[in-house]
Amino acid sequence: MDENKLRQRKMRRYVYLLAGAYIVYQAVSMVLDVKRGVVMDNPALILGGAAVLAAAGLALASVQIWALRRERKEEAETEEKEATEKEDA
């Protein structure tokens, strides 16, 4: 694959990772608002939404971390393979 496309894909993964972290931050913020006693109509609904947001954010971030690790491992294996081929030649 073209190196430029690989760089774009990696950067996209980092952006998704940051988005997942921000979603988790917003969920925590919602829970803290309920804990502080901010006036709201239905705190149970807010807490349920915060739980869904936290789960979605954690899932998004963890999938991106997993994919980044896998890609780094593949890159290291490719570099090692190329180095071995150069030594053999």
Side-chain angles (χ1 to χ4, degrees):
M1 189 179 271
D2 186 9
E3 186 175 328
N4 198 17
K5 287 190 179 203
L6 288 173
R7 185 177 295 154
Q8 287 177 352
R9 184 170 65 181
K10 188 179 283 188
M11 191 58 65
R12 188 178 316 120
R13 291 202 188 282
Y14 283 118
V15 170
Y16 285 147
L17 177 62
L18 289 174
Y22 182 72
I23 291 170
V24 171
Y25 166 76
Q26 287 298 317
V28 169
S29 176
M30 290 169 64
V31 171
L32 291 177
D33 283 346
V34 170
K35 186 177 178 183
R36 284 187 215 124
V38 174
V39 178
M40 57 189 74
D41 294 336
N42 194 349
L45 182 63
I46 299 296
L47 291 175
V52 170
L53 277 176
L58 286 173
L60 180 62
S62 62
V63 165
Q64 298 309 316
I65 290 171
W66 177 78
L68 282 167
R69 283 185 170 178
R70 185 190 53 177
E71 288 176 1
R72 282 186 186 160
K73 183 179 178 184
E74 289 174 0
E75 287 175 4
E77 289 174 356
T78 303
E79 289 176 3
E80 184 179 315
K81 186 177 180 180
E82 289 174 357
T84 304
E85 289 175 356
K86 285 184 181 179
E87 288 178 1
D88 290 342

